[in-house]
């Protein structure tokens, strides 16, 4: 059992297997941004309150600033870039775009990944539930309403698709 | 390009703008932002996303004391720490960077002491940067920062504006003689007599907390100095690249042409990023000293401690009115505490000036006395933040109006309607000397009352009250300055542009590149520019490329502040597009031996106006002018790159107006307030893109709601911030925010062809007042009133008499 | 806000964990979900020399129903508790509390054991454990011991955990027939730490309260069982009189506590209000 200040980790990030040596103290988002150049995940507070750092680990959203990179060893990580490139976020992106559900864009990656979990829910969330679930993502630019509208629209679209 | 028909706001695209007959008119279209799609894919490029070779990182050592003398600084341990490249102290920066003084010459009596980027002999607020550690990584810089050994001698801090001018209170800058930064007085005369004679007088003291902007992207700067050609490039999360270019050049004695400032993607501004920060200048100093790229990104804790703050006013106010319900006079006494220096280069006076100028401004009374004083304190620096002073003026005036209406037993909407400046009185000169070009207050009020179904809500409120459910309806009429002239800054000697400019060039394949001096910070400036340029040039919007935010590639301008981007920047774009269009048409007319008046540009083609027949595509025009000059008549030189600029010079500001309403439910047992709905009717003249304007207004309202219910910087007696994290400084989140319905009236300004007025700050100007009035309306059955913000459950419970002092 | 340097170790067994803790003493901190610890590290409020990551200890995870009891392993994630049908069925108090615990991404990593061991005064799970009379299983080199929740939470961030010890699990009795649970908290915003909260568990049979456990949190350094208030409703039906009787003695049960969000008077008032609402909900809840 070694005590290490630096550790080799092996992670699948956006579908690609990567191996890197990281400082134990480096958190997951700094690893993604600094070591892998994936700057889509942002840092707004580094104490878990703002949601800008939200990424996906083993299929679930986490605060990337509250997880050490070494804890992601052996895990599957997905960032906004991966979820976007795969097309998974396409409906949400389209609704966000058409409804102007973003302005400066800094909260947007975290918002999208949080919203992606919401629209996958069964049964689909109500408008109030959407607001509750988005309440961990801080946005200073919009009034949140267009974001809620966009998520609602995707849920509605999926519901129509199912009944079609 | 998908177009959603989101035209609920009632603004018609055909709003009097003359466009080419048959050409696409994008003005008024709710188009999604074409150039922002990359932000949805996580492929934005903010300052912290930029990596440069040999780039180093920084952390600041900050004063733990609100006021203390620096006895000694020992940086030896820090300098020897792993990864550290250099440790820089105030003395070293002072040798490179001229100090600055945040006064404006046209604000009489304004005073402030010279300020350096890093504290030298004394620290004057908790969080003031004292030393900078430069290291290979930010983590190493923070490690080393903890090793900088500073011997402090704590001094008594000045922390209470109410006693800042007392004889017993230490003067922060003895050379200034007092802690008074400035005082503004507006006096029509006749106030005392009018109050003495009036039927009734209402009065209250309105207190707002100190706020901080909390942009989600913290302040960030990356400075790169190339010693070989003495070229400095600064990527800065800023709203004002040209201002910063001037400041950096001036204070570091660099040639302006060797300083390039670039605003990449900016993660929120709201006024925070228009000020001069010691950290930014120190980062520039470090880059010059080291000859390599130096980056500083503020973390959230230091943002709370060192971002410019705002608000924090105490306004004593009273209003006199007649038995019939006419406002006779108003009087206010405003006091607020800024930092130990007035901010540079804009000064910290504007908040107070707006308060003194604008309380009860929507109304027709001519007797008014207003005083505002800003005093120095040992707290963070202070300056302009969204809606600058207007929210305070609004809540003071609107709070008094509701009190007066209540005294008279008059409906608050009726009281306002009765007292608005008459619709035929414009242009209207206020007692404070400001002029309103033209407002649409009566129209906006009627539209608001219809939107919210005011009568039904009042009936619902009454019915629910009988069942022990307490809801409140609050109105707030507001005015908001936009399209400022040089009256704000230029006249005071500040090197801040009051004009905007735009260069449009025809590309070889027929599209256009539009370089504009406005700055994109998420509000959609680039989309606005594209829509205006495409419309007035006659090209499809997909053929427009917009360039902003770089002092090297865009024409000179003021950037993003004061709700000026669309009104001033947009007008420059319009004029440039028209000029280029005219040049193209006269060129083609010459080529085909016709008249320019018989031709038009539609959809990227030069066509005959009458028949619509295409004579030349813009691509052919470009090819002829650029490549086939043998076809161009000898005596003719087509100019297919055109620059135009525009400044608003008629008024100090082109004022907009609007009205907001809040509907909320009070839980009198817990003091909790639940916002049910919010409405806004805003008049910003010509709207270029309602999709963008409406969500801007919503976001601005939410900031005002934050002021009403949540946000406050809390200090202990030693002047230390005790709630400086996102756990304890509460910002509005999605679950508590209401849906906000937005409508518009439209009074285009005659000061420009575009007719657009600003809309970015309007929401913040009135939202807190609307919530305040709604809360007091809800508390009416209890005989309780509350005018101290934020309205925490504790304050509400105390107002309701449910809890004592302890 | 970058964490200070530390060395990291990830033991593969409990014995290795105990070895490490013994060896490092105060220099080590246990890393479970990390949602509180890593925030503290980022803010440099804490600077341990060694971080002992226990996330690899499989036996610490899992919800086990056995007999009339439920054992929640220390590493059980909040998300698992939130989604667990067993928790919903056998420990409805915890099921009601989980949506109030921060936000979903934090619940992904946050752990039961972390919440109990960190013992934030405004946290939900310590209060639920107190109300349900849970027993905590604590392990060390010397073996296991059990501590009742009422003896475990001692003060502000202070628990009965001794150096070298690790919380292994919480053991709960499954809800019995005729018993009801109600969880309510008052917070400024959804997901915030509570201003005041109440985790209540009582028998309500034939319209009569009995055996009530009223665990208030956010009212002081540690969650508190309001025993005078419980006594005041013992054997009584739901009525205005009963509620007032309980509210009037509540002050005796609660410490005086104030912070930058609320004064002591406000907290006492809110606790009284909450008590009334929870008592009503206990009475009106459909089983």
């Amino acid at each position: 059992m070694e005590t290490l200040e630096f550790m080799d980790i092996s992670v699948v990030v956006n579908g690609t297997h990567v191996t890197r040596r990281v400082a134990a103290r480096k958190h997951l988002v700094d690893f993604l941004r600094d070591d892998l150049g994936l700057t889509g995940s942002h840092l707004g507070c580094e104490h878990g309150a703002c949601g800008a750092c939200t990424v996906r680990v083993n299929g679930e959203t986490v605060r990337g600033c509250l997880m050490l990179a070494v804890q992601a060893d052996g895990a599957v990580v997905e960032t906004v870039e991966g979820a976007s490139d795969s097309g998974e976020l396409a409906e949400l992106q389209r609704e966000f775009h058409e409804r102007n559900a973003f302005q400066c864009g800094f909260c947007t990656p975290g918002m999208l990944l949080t919203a992606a979990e919401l629209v996958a829910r069964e049964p689909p969330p109500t408008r109030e539930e959407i607001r509750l679930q988005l309440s961990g993502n801080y946005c200073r630019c919009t009034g949140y309403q267009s974001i809620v509208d966009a998520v609602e629209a995707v849920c509605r679209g999926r519901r129509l698709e199912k009944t079609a | 390009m998908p177009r959603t028909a989101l035209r609920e706001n009632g603004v018609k695209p055909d709003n009097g703008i003359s466009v080419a007959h048959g050409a696409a008119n994008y003005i008024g279209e709710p188009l999604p932002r074409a150039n922002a799609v990359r932000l949805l894919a996580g492929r934005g490029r903010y300052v912290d996303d930029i990596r440069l070779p040999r780039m180093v990182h920084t952390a600041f050592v900050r004063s733990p004391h609100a006021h203390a003398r620096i006895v000694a600084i020992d940086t030896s341990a820090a300098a020897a720490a792993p990864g550290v490249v250099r440790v820089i102290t105030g003395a070293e920066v002072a040798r490179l960077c001229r100090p600055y003084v945040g006064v404006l010459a046209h604000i009489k009596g304004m005073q402030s002491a010279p300020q350096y980027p890093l504290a030298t002999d004394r620290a004057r607020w908790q969080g003031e940067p004292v030393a900078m550690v430069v290291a290979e990584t930010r983590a190493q810089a923070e490690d080393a920062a903890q090793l900088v050994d500073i011997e402090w001698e704590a001094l008594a801090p000045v922390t209470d504006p109410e006693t800042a001018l007392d004889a017993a209170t230490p003067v922060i800058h003895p050379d200034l003689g007092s802690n008074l930064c400035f005082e503004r007085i507006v006096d029509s005369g006749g106030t005392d007599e009018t109050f003495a004679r009036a039927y009734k007088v209402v009065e209250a003291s309105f207190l707002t907390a100190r706020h901080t902007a909390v942009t989600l992207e913290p302040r960030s700067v990356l400075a790169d100095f190339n010693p070989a050609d003495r070229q400095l490039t600064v990527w800065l999360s800023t709203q004002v690249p040209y201002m910063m270019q001037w400041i950096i050049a001036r204070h570091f004695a660099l040639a302006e042409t060797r300083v390039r400032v670039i605003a990449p993607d900016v993660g929120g501004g709201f006024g925070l990023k228009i000020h001069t920060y010691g950290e930014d200048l120190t980062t520039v100093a470090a880059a010059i000293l080291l000859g390599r790229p130096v980056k500083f990104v503020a973390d959230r804790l230091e943002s709370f401690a060192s971002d410019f703050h705002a608000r924090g006013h105490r306004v004593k106010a009273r209003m006199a009115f007649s038995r019939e319900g006419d406002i006779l006079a108003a009087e206010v006494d405003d006091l607020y505490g800024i930092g130990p220096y007035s901010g540079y280069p804009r000064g910290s006076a504007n908040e107070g000036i707006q308060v003194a100028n604008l309380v009860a401004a929507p109304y027709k009374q001519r007797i008014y006395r207003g005083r505002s004083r800003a005093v120095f304190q040992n707290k963070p620096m202070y300056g302009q933040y969204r809606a600058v002073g207007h929210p305070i003026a609004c809540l003071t005036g609107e709070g008094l109006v509701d009190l007066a209406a209540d005294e008279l037993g008059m409906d608050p909407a009726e009281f306002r309607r009765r007292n608005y400046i008459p619709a035929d009185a414009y242009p209207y000169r206020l007692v404070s000397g400001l002029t309103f070009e033209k407002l649409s207050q009566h129209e906006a009020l009627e539209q608001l009352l219809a939107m919210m179904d005011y009568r039904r809500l009042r009936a619902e409120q009454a019915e629910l009250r009988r069942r022990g459910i307490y809801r409140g309806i609050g109105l707030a009429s507001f005015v908001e300055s936009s399209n400022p002239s040089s009256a704000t800054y230029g006249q005071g000697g500040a090197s801040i542009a009051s004009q905007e400019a735009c260069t449009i060039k025809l590309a070889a394949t027929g599209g256009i590149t539009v370089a504009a001096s406005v700055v994109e910070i998420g509000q959609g400036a680039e989309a606005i520019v594209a829509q205006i340029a495409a419309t007035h040039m006659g090209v499809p919007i997909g053929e427009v490329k917009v360039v902003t935010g770089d002092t090297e590639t865009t024409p000179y301008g003021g950037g993003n502040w004061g709700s000026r981007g669309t009104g001033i920047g947009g007008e420059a774009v319009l004029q440039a597009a028209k000029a280029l269009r005219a040049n193209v048409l006269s060129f083609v007319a010459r080529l085909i031996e016709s008249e320019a008046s018989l031709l038009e540009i539609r959809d990227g083609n030069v066509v005959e106006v009458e028949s619509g027949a295409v004579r030349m595509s813009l691509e052919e025009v470009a090819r002829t002018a650029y490549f086939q000059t043998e076809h161009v008549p000898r005596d003719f030189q087509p100019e297919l790159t055109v620059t135009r600029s525009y400044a608003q010079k008629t008024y100090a500001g082109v004022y907009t107006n609007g009205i907001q309403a809040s509907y909320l439910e009070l839980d009198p047992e817990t003091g909790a307030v639940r916002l049910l709905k919010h409405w806004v009717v805003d008049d910003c003249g010509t709207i270029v893109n309602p999709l963008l304007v409406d969500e801007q207004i919503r976001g601005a309202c939410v900031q005002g709601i934050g002021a009403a219910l949540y946000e406050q910087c809390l200090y202990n007696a030693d002047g230390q911030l005790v709630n400086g994290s996102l756990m304890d400084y509460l910002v509005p989140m999605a679950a508590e925010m209401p849906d906000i319905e937005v409508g518009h009236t439209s009074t285009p300004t005659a000061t420009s062809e575009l007719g657009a007025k600003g809309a970015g700050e309007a929401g913040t100007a009135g939202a807190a007042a609307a919530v305040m009035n709604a809360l007091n309306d809800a508390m009416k059955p209890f005989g309780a009133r509350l005018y101290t913000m934020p309205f925490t459950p504790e304050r509400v419970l105390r107002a309701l008499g449910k809890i004592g002092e302890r | 806000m970058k964490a200070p340097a530390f060395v990291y170790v990830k033991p593969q067994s409990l014995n290795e964990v105990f070895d490490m803790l013994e060896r490092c003493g105060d220099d080590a901190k246990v890393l479970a979900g990390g949602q509180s610890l890593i925030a503290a590290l980022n803010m440099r409020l804490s600077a341990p020399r060694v971080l002992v990551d226990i996330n690899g200890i499989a036996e610490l995870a899992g919800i086990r129903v056995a007999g009339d009891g439920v054992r929640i392993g220390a590493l059980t994630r909040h998300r698992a508790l939130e989604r667990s049908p067993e928790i919903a069925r056998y420990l409805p108090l915890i099921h009601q509390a989980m949506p109030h615990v921060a936000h979903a991404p934090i619940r992904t990593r946050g752990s039961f054991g972390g919440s109990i061991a960190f013992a934030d005064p405004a946290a939900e799970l310590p209060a639920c454990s107190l109300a349900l009379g849970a027993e905590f299983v604590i392990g060390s080199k010397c073996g296991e011991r059990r501590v009742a929740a009422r003896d475990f939470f001692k003060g502000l961030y202070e628990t009965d955990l001794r150096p070298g010890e690790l919380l292994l699990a919480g053991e709960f009795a499954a809800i019995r027939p005729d018993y009801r649970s109600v969880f309510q908290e008052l917070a400024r915003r959804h997901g915030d730490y509570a201003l005041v909260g109440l985790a209540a568990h009582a028998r309500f049979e034939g319209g009569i309260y009995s055996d009530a456990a009223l665990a208030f949190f956010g009212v002081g350094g540690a969650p508190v069982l309001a025993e005078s208030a419980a006594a005041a409703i013992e054997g009584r039906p739901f009525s205005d009189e009963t509620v007032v009787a309980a509210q009037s003695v509540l002050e005796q049960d609660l410490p005086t506590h104030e912070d930058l969000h609320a004064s002591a008077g406000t907290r006492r008032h809110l606790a009284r209000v909450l008590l009334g609402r929870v008592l009503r909900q206990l009475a009106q809840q459909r089983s």
Side-chain angles (χ1 to χ4, degrees), chain B residues 10 62 79 139-140 142 265 282 296 321 345 363 372 389 394 415 441 455 461 492 501 529 555 579 599 742 790 801:
Chain B
R62 297 179 180 279
Q140 288 171 322
E142 288 190 30
D265 286 322
T282 307
F296 167 63
F321 53 97
Y363 307 108
S372 176
C394 178
F415 187 92
Q441 301 199 103
R455 297 215 183 291
Q461 176 189 36
V529 167
L599 300 171
V742 182

Side-chain angles (χ1 to χ4, degrees), chain B residues 142-159:
Chain B
E142 288 190 30
D143 294 342
Q146 289 183 302
L147 300 175
V148 173
D149 190 11
I150 303 182
E151 193 188 327
W152 298 100
E153 179 197 329
L155 302 168
V158 177
T159 59

Side-chain angles (χ1 to χ4, degrees), chain C residues 29-148:
Chain C
K29 276 211 144 53
V30 169
L31 174 63
Q35 303 303 281
S36 298
L37 179 60
I38 297 177
L41 291 174
N42 289 346
M43 291 193 273
R44 296 202 176 213
L45 294 174
S46 183
R49 214 180 44 78
V50 183
L51 230 63
V52 181
D53 184 343
I54 61 168
N55 288 280
I57 316 288
E59 69 210 82
L60 287 177
I63 301 164
R64 253 189 6 246
V65 179
D68 60 357
V70 181
R71 180 180 165 111
I72 301 176
L75 272 185
T76 307
R77 308 288 171 186
H78 294 326
R79 267 219 199 191
L81 285 178
E82 190 183 357
R83 293 172 179 163
S84 159
E86 286 83 17
I87 298 295
R89 180 164 171 203
Y90 297 113
L91 300 178
L93 183 64
I94 291 181
H95 180 76
Q96 288 180 49
M98 293 322 292
H100 295 274
V101 177
H103 298 284
I106 292 180
R107 295 199 289 272
T108 303
R109 301 286 306 164
S111 69
F112 173 80
S115 179
I116 300 298
F118 185 58
D120 189 288
E124 292 81 3
L125 286 171
C128 291
S129 304
L130 192 60
L132 295 175
E135 262 196 350
F136 298 125
V137 183
I138 297 168
S140 71
K141 254 195 140 121
C142 316
E144 278 183 17
R145 65 184 182 98
R146 314 168 86 77
V147 182

Side-chain angles (χ1 to χ4, degrees), chain C residues 6-252:
Chain C
F6 51 79
V7 293
Y8 169 89
V9 62
K10 192 170 181 184
Q12 296 305 305
S13 73
L14 277 177
N15 282 333
E16 287 185 353
V17 174
F18 298 138
D19 275 340
M20 224 38 235
L21 293 179
E22 190 186 50
R23 217 188 323 152
C24 303
D26 281 343
D27 283 341
K29 276 211 144 53
V30 169
L31 174 63
Q35 303 303 281
S36 298
L37 179 60
I38 297 177
L41 291 174
N42 289 346
M43 291 193 273
R44 296 202 176 213
L45 294 174
S46 183
R49 214 180 44 78
V50 183
L51 230 63
V52 181
D53 184 343
I54 61 168
N55 288 280
I57 316 288
E59 69 210 82
L60 287 177
I63 301 164
R64 253 189 6 246
V65 179
D68 60 357
V70 181
R71 180 180 165 111
I72 301 176
L75 272 185
T76 307
R77 308 288 171 186
H78 294 326
R79 267 219 199 191
L81 285 178
E82 190 183 357
R83 293 172 179 163
S84 159
E86 286 83 17
I87 298 295
R89 180 164 171 203
Y90 297 113
L91 300 178
L93 183 64
I94 291 181
H95 180 76
Q96 288 180 49
M98 293 322 292
H100 295 274
V101 177
H103 298 284
I106 292 180
R107 295 199 289 272
T108 303
R109 301 286 306 164
S111 69
F112 173 80
S115 179
I116 300 298
F118 185 58
D120 189 288
E124 292 81 3
L125 286 171
C128 291
S129 304
L130 192 60
L132 295 175
E135 262 196 350
F136 298 125
V137 183
I138 297 168
S140 71
K141 254 195 140 121
C142 316
E144 278 183 17
R145 65 184 182 98
R146 314 168 86 77
V147 182
R150 68 188 310 140
D151 300 320
F152 184 80
F153 301 104
K154 302 193 115 81
L156 185 61
Y157 303 116
E158 198 192 324
T159 69
D160 198 52
L161 280 174
R162 299 168 196 152
E165 289 189 323
L166 185 72
L167 180 71
L168 301 180
E171 290 186 344
F172 298 77
I175 188 168
R176 287 176 277 168
D178 305 336
Y179 276 76
R180 297 180 178 186
S181 296
V182 168
F183 180 94
Q184 277 192 28
E185 71 173 46
L186 297 170
R188 295 299 323 271
R189 305 169 305 179
H190 179 74
D192 282 352
Y193 279 121
L195 278 179
V196 172
L198 174 53
H201 184 70
R203 185 163 182 262
F204 193 76
E205 160 67 2
I208 304 290
Y209 296 105
S210 62
D211 196 20
L214 306 168
F216 281 90
F217 59 101
V219 292
V224 167
L225 277 173
E227 304 200 307
S228 314
I233 66 172
E234 180 72 28
R236 297 180 68 162
F238 172 67
S239 69
D240 287 343
E241 290 75 32
T242 303
V243 169
V244 168
Q247 288 172 327
S248 63
V249 296
L250 183 59
E251 196 159 341
Q252 300 164 19

Side-chain angles (χ1 to χ4, degrees), chain B residues 568-797:
Chain B
I568 301 181
E571 180 68 8
V573 175
L574 185 153
Q575 296 302 332
K578 284 182 66 176
L580 180 56
R581 182 171 134 267
N583 284 8
V584 167
L585 293 181
S586 59
F587 176 46
V588 174
R590 188 65 202 273
L591 287 176
I592 63 172
E593 285 163 18
S594 173
E595 304 269 337
S597 59
L598 301 175
L599 300 171
E600 200 38 88
I601 308 179
R602 286 177 207 162
D603 231 27
N605 293 310
V606 178
V607 307
E608 285 173 6
V609 174
E610 290 291 329
S611 66
V614 174
R615 295 307 305 263
M616 277 180 90
S617 69
L618 283 179
E619 180 168 10
E620 286 173 85
V621 172
R623 291 187 69 83
T624 309
Y626 298 150
F627 310 147
Q628 291 152 354
T629 54
E630 72 279 7
H631 292 307
V632 180
R634 284 216 188 130
D635 62 337
F636 190 98
Q637 183 53 47
E639 299 296 352
L640 301 182
T641 298
V642 166
T643 300
R644 287 292 182 275
S645 60
Y646 170 74
Q648 192 281 112
K649 295 177 277 199
T650 312
Y651 304 99
V654 177
Y655 278 80
T656 66
N657 70 277
I659 183 166
Q660 301 193 24
S662 169
Y663 186 44
L664 56 79
E665 187 168 305
L666 166 70
D667 181 340
E669 290 193 314
T670 62
V673 169
R674 187 162 67 99
L675 300 175
L676 302 173
K677 191 85 186 273
H678 200 94
W679 298 264
V680 182
V681 175
D682 183 60
D683 184 344
C684 54
T686 302
I687 293 181
V688 177
N689 185 324
L691 182 65
L692 303 187
V693 165
D694 286 0
E695 203 63 24
Q696 272 278 288
I697 289 175
R698 291 193 184 96
C701 282
V702 168
Q703 278 182 294
I705 290 172
L709 296 180
Y710 296 109
E711 299 185 40
Q712 52 181 346
C713 293
L714 293 170
Y715 291 87
N716 64 18
D718 294 326
Q720 291 166 324
L721 183 64
V722 297
N723 68 332
S725 80
L726 279 179
M727 297 300 186
D728 295 321
Y729 182 95
L730 305 179
V731 288
M733 306 296 274
E736 290 74 35
M737 291 304 104
D739 281 346
I740 301 171
E741 203 177 316
V742 182
H744 294 277
T745 51
S746 179
T747 316
T749 174
T751 58
S752 72
E753 197 173 324
L754 182 61
K757 303 191 274 200
E761 296 172 278
T764 308
V771 173
M772 176 187 78
N773 282 346
L775 175 61
N776 282 309
D777 187 50
M779 295 201 295
K780 226 188 268 195
F782 302 94
R785 289 201 201 284
L786 189 54
Y787 297 115
T788 300
M789 295 191 194
F791 304 127
T792 58
E794 179 157 294
R795 288 198 170 119
V796 174
L797 289 172

Side-chain angles (χ1 to χ4, degrees), chain A residues 26-91:
Chain A
K26 183 175 263 196
H27 59 59
L28 180 58
V29 170
D30 273 346
F31 169 68
L32 294 167
R33 292 177 55 80
D34 295 346
D35 294 57
L36 303 183
L38 289 166
T39 56
S41 310
H42 300 142
L43 290 174
C45 77
E46 288 183 295
H47 51 280
C50 74
C53 69
T54 306
V55 293
R56 233 184 245 155
V57 175
N58 296 337
E60 310 240 59
T61 53
V62 302
R63 295 284 194 247
C65 73
L66 296 185
M67 190 169 166
L68 300 177
V70 295
Q71 290 185 289
D73 185 30
V76 174
V77 175
E78 197 166 22
T79 69
V80 64
E81 293 98 328
S84 178
D85 289 349
S86 72
E88 184 207 328
L89 296 177
E91 290 161 278

